[in-house]
Amino acid sequence: MSDRRSFLKFSLLTSAFLAGGKTLLAQGQKSQTKLPTTVKDNPIVISTWDFGKQANEAAWEVLNKGGRALDAVENGVKVPEADPENQTVGLGGRPDRDGRVTLDASIMDENSRCGAVACLENIVHAISVARLVMEKTPHVMLVGEGALQLALDNGFKKENLLTEKSELEWKEWLKESKYQPLMNQENNYHRTIKGSTPGDEKNHDTIGMLAMDKAGNLSGACTTSGLAFKMHGRVGDSPIIGAGLYVDNEIGAAASTGMGEEVVKIVGAHLVVELMRQGLSPEKACKAAVERINHKNPEAYKNFQIGFIAINKKGEHGAFALQKGFTYAVKSGKEEKIYNTPSLY
Ligand code: ASP
């Protein structure tokens, strides 16, 4: 009896609580803690490297019309993906050591929904396949053949992504076959590829893009052909949610470029967002993540580059790199600019 009485009492209390909850919701009250101010009506898009400028313009077409940040970032990164001159993303990307162009990409929206593909071949717009994974499957990541099958089932066409220029570089590389994935440092990348011109190294990388739309919602995208002449099957940070890309619509978003293995080790983009949650500005959060990588391996700076970009819910942006030479492009209602990113070295 006493058990039954307790049960009835509990049931009554629960019903009263639920009813109260309903009333509260009906009055539009929220139980959430106070979130950072969102800058509405002032969309912003930022992306890695100088080539982010053209990509930002394509994203801006969506944002300026009041479109979703998710559509903006997909539209934006499709520009370098389709550019055969860009040898680190999509069509024209440098192949792996076996001469195969394999792509990694990820996308994440304001509802923390996300999708990714890794080691995808013969499809130019890896980012759109990542979006398919997010929207049309119960999964977060598909790799290789499975990712290709999803693309083909959804009307994507197979294409040869290996351009003459990238094939020539690969054949040149094969002569020594020196597996030394140096990247984006003054002169060293160009030293590894005979025939490439000094200064080219500035354009070898991933595109990571982050946007806030007029509704104040955040999304991000990241797409790359990864390290030039990597081992076949190698996957970097770009398709790994939390490493190459992370979005938390309450706080901000971050993306990375550079040596993916090092970014994965500290779950870089997620770390940057968590540091912003603790109150750091986007630049300071990116700097702390770079310092973390450097702290774990102080010799690191000699061998590779790492760069993070970030935005927060106030529409503030920032970036930080391990070495000199990293740039990021910004477009908003207030500015259109390519920034030289501050660096540790
Ligand atoms: N982060 C990419 C990767 O490791 C490449 C890059 O940004 O250079 O695959």
Side-chain angles (χ1 to χ4, degrees):
M1 273 303 272
S2 97
D3 276 359
R4 184 173 152 74
R5 255 203 310 273
S6 312
F7 172 75
L8 285 173
K9 196 172 160 194
F10 175 76
S11 303
L12 285 171
L13 279 173
T14 309
S15 314
F17 175 79
L18 289 175
K22 233 184 208 166
T23 317
L24 283 180
L25 283 177
Q27 287 167 359
Q29 294 185 18
K30 287 183 184 158
S31 61
Q32 286 166 325
T33 47
K34 203 162 176 261
L35 301 177
T37 326
T38 296
V39 183
K40 291 196 178 178
D41 298 323
N42 183 22
I44 177 169
V45 56
I46 73 171
S47 55
T48 50
W49 303 106
D50 293 12
F51 60 74
K53 188 174 184 295
Q54 285 80 40
N56 285 356
E57 278 160 21
W60 188 254
E61 282 170 22
V62 177
L63 293 173
N64 204 29
K65 281 192 275 194
R68 250 182 109 189
L70 180 71
D71 295 325
V73 294
E74 182 188 8
N75 216 39
V77 303
K78 281 169 83 172
V79 173
E81 277 187 340
D83 179 0
E85 294 303 315
N86 186 321
Q87 291 181 279
T88 58
V89 182
L91 176 66
R94 290 199 175 80
D96 63 19
R97 344 199 253 193
D98 300 343
R100 297 161 74 160
V101 181
T102 66
L103 306 180
D104 293 343
S106 62
I107 193 158
M108 191 161 185
D109 77 2
E110 73 274 19
N111 300 310
S112 297
R113 294 192 316 158
C114 48
V117 290
C119 209
L120 173 66
E121 294 181 71
N122 299 112
I123 301 288
V124 174
H125 293 302
I127 198 64
S128 302
V129 188
R131 187 167 174 174
L132 274 181
V133 174
M134 174 173 96
E135 292 180 338
K136 299 221 165 152
T137 80
H139 308 303
V140 160
M141 184 190 276
L142 289 182
V143 305
E145 282 297 316
L148 177 63
Q149 196 54 52
L150 179 75
L152 298 177
D153 289 350
N154 283 276
F156 285 74
K157 295 273 168 297
K158 260 184 156 180
E159 282 180 59
N160 174 24
L161 305 185
L162 186 63
T163 54
E164 211 174 307
K165 189 175 176 197
S166 288
E167 188 174 6
L168 277 175
E169 286 186 8
W170 168 61
K171 287 190 171 149
E172 193 60 43
W173 177 85
L174 276 180
K175 289 180 186 162
E176 285 186 30
S177 301
K178 197 168 168 201
Y179 189 58
Q180 191 185 15
L182 298 176
M183 58 198 328
N184 293 309
Q185 297 166 48
E186 215 65 34
N187 294 325
N188 68 12
Y189 192 80
H190 133 84
R191 277 206 306 269
T192 65
I193 301 175
K194 285 182 201 154
S196 71
T197 22
D200 263 7
E201 61 277 5
K202 288 210 177 88
N203 289 327
H204 302 310
D205 246 301
T206 298
I207 184 150
M209 176 177 277
L210 311 169
M212 182 163 71
D213 58 30
K214 286 190 180 182
N217 285 323
L218 299 170
S219 287
C222 191
T223 175
T224 187
S225 52
L227 289 178
F229 319 132
K230 60 195 174 187
M231 290 173 72
H232 180 64
R234 179 264 187 190
V235 172
D237 57 329
S238 308
I240 298 180
I241 298 296
L245 175 71
Y246 197 69
V247 176
D248 183 325
N249 202 42
E250 296 183 7
I251 304 298
S256 68
T257 181
M259 188 64 82
E261 282 74 1
E262 300 303 317
V263 176
V264 169
K265 287 177 197 168
I266 62 150
V267 199
H270 183 260
L271 176 62
V272 171
V273 171
E274 290 308 302
L275 290 167
M276 290 195 287
R277 191 190 307 276
Q278 288 169 23
L280 264 59
S281 69
E283 182 181 316
K284 287 204 168 115
C286 292
K287 181 172 185 224
V290 168
E291 283 170 346
R292 178 84 57 92
I293 289 172
N294 190 59
H295 174 73
K296 301 258 175 222
N297 177 6
E299 294 296 298
Y301 74 95
K302 294 181 185 157
N303 300 321
F304 56 79
Q305 172 65 302
I306 299 279
F308 289 104
I309 58 169
I311 57 175
N312 64 17
K313 285 290 271 189
K314 292 185 215 156
E316 295 165 338
H317 60 82
F320 204 85
L322 188 62
Q323 327 236 14
K324 281 194 190 124
F326 175 46
T327 57
Y328 74 107
V330 179
K331 186 158 173 67
S332 71
K334 286 188 267 178
E335 62 174 331
E336 181 168 8
K337 194 170 166 182
I338 294 177
Y339 283 84
N340 282 318
T341 305
S343 59
L344 210 55
Y345 295 103

